[in-house]
Amino acid sequence: AAGVRVDSVVDGSPAVAAGIAKGDIIVALGGKPVADLNEFTAALRGYSPGDRVAVTFRRGAEEITKEAALAAR
């Protein structure tokens, strides 16, 4: 399946704040589909720390979209 599997999340991170958990599969960022890690990284480059972006992820059969505030890394 297309997307980027979340291998881990850091306590207090924007991912945790948005409800993203280990094992989720991120399938879109800012409404743009991401098929793999390269596309996800390229999509992130279009944003700056502090920007708020919609993140769509799959958890089992459910597809969820949440807003996340991006952090510097």
Side-chain angles (χ1 to χ4, degrees):
V4 178
R5 179 176 298 279
V6 178
D7 289 329
S8 64
V9 291
V10 177
D11 285 345
S13 70
V16 169
I20 297 169
K22 180 178 177 181
D24 290 345
I25 299 173
I26 297 173
V27 294
L29 190 66
K32 295 180 184 169
V34 291
D36 55 32
L37 187 57
N38 287 337
E39 287 186 13
F40 178 75
T41 302
L44 272 179
R45 284 192 195 111
Y47 298 96
S48 299
D51 286 351
R52 298 190 70 79
V53 61
V55 180
T56 304
F57 56 95
R58 281 197 318 267
R59 179 175 296 157
E62 191 177 8
E63 191 164 281
I64 304 162
T65 299
K66 299 276 188 166
E67 190 173 82
L70 301 181
R73 40 175 274 177

